[in-house]
Amino acid sequence: LRLGRRRRFKLVRQAEQLWHYGHLCIRSLLFNSFTNSDVVLDSLFEPVYWLVDHVTRWFGVVFVALVIGLTSSIVAIVYICLLPLILQTYTPAWICWHLAYGHWNLIMIVFHYYKAITTSPGQTGGTKDDLTGVSICRKCIAPKPARTHHCSICNRCVLKMDHHCQAAWLNNCVGHYNHRYFFSFCLFMTMGCIYCSISGWEMFRDAYAAIETYYQTPPPTFSFRQRAFHKSVVYLWVLCSSVALALGALTLWHAALITHGETSIERHINKKERQRMQKKGKVFRNPYSYGSWDNWKVFLGVDVPRHWLTRVLLPSPHLPHGTGLSWDLPPCVTEQRAPLMAI
């Protein structure tokens, strides 16, 4: 019995030694003094993040095809159904207005959408020694300049990153070099949808009333072409009104950010920093904000008064101020702003 107990105790001790040895190996291989509960959760959810990022890339391609298809359908309805009616019933002055404004708005939408999806937002190039970073990117393990953030979908650091745009169907990051194109596309698309909704309101009411009579007894004698016209007008008005509301809200949000000299990411960062400084009795000031008017001039690239016409009201591929790696005072700014933090 004593020999049996000794053997059992020996097996238990060996099992405990193996357990402690394995535990020590795992701790030594995975030990990190910066590890906390957030890092552990991020590591556990890393496969989920990877799956979402890769699926989102394919969603972007689908959204680009969707916006092109929907916009093309609206333009086709306007040319095939509405334009002949406008030419027959409107006065020459109204005809000139609709032709001029409608085609100008369409050109601005197409130009800025194409530039937004094809223009690279800007990334940190060159060697690591060439970059002056304010922090180190945890994913790229490289210096990260001011206002630069890592995009998990593009898997790169983006200069002055605002967001990775899927909501506006760009399939691209919105950053330093295409931020203006993104906002201009949202603005002119909203203006175009509002224009179609207001101009087509009377035709929408007539077409909707005609559709309601389809199921009467006896049914009205509408031809196939008339039925197609009614449904096309209702489709145009409902789609344009919905997009105008949704995209209009997004445009107003980004207009507020531009007014304060912030991006979507910086909005959250500055809010936390403002609360932190407030607890210390100090006031946080955004170093990249030059005042509401100057912020718009910097964002739109307006250096001289004629640029409001050539760079804002007309398609313009001009580059933004600066390189995105450093942020010097733009020449169009009228006065130097306060420092980052003031007591």
Side-chain angles (χ1 to χ4, degrees), residues 38-78:
D38 294 335
V39 176
V40 173
L41 288 176
D42 288 342
S43 300
L44 293 176
F45 280 96
E46 192 66 29
V48 179
Y49 297 150
W50 180 90
L51 180 63
V52 171
D53 291 345
H54 284 70
V55 171
T56 306
R57 294 178 186 178
W58 288 105
F59 283 168
V61 177
V62 175
F63 289 154
V64 169
L66 184 62
V67 70
I68 293 175
L70 293 176
T71 306
S72 301
S73 66
I74 295 298
V75 174
I77 292 173
V78 170

Side-chain angles (χ1 to χ4, degrees), residues 67 71 74 101 104-106 108-110 112-113 167-169 181-199 237 239-255:
V67 70
T71 306
I74 295 298
Y101 178 82
W104 169 78
N105 203 341
L106 178 62
M108 297 298 284
I109 290 173
V110 173
H112 288 102
Y113 183 69
W169 308 317
Y181 296 133
F182 161 78
F183 177 78
S184 298
F185 162 70
C186 293
L187 176 63
F188 289 113
M189 178 64 84
T190 302
M191 291 171 57
C193 291
I194 293 174
Y195 163 72
C196 290
S197 299
I198 295 176
S199 301
W237 193 88
L239 179 60
C240 288
S241 300
S242 303
V243 173
L245 291 175
L247 199 58
L250 180 65
T251 304
L252 290 176
W253 164 252
H254 280 277

Side-chain angles (χ1 to χ4, degrees), residues 319-332:
L319 296 176
H321 288 293
T323 62
L325 298 174
S326 60
W327 298 95
D328 300 326
L329 190 69
C332 60

Side-chain angles (χ1 to χ4, degrees), residues 180-224:
R180 180 177 65 88
Y181 296 133
F182 161 78
F183 177 78
S184 298
F185 162 70
C186 293
L187 176 63
F188 289 113
M189 178 64 84
T190 302
M191 291 171 57
C193 291
I194 293 174
Y195 163 72
C196 290
S197 299
I198 295 176
S199 301
W201 169 245
E202 294 295 334
M203 287 181 284
F204 165 74
R205 291 178 59 185
D206 296 339
Y208 188 79
I211 291 177
E212 287 186 333
T213 64
Y214 285 178
Y215 305 101
Q216 291 181 355
T217 304
T221 57
F222 287 123
S223 64
F224 174 78

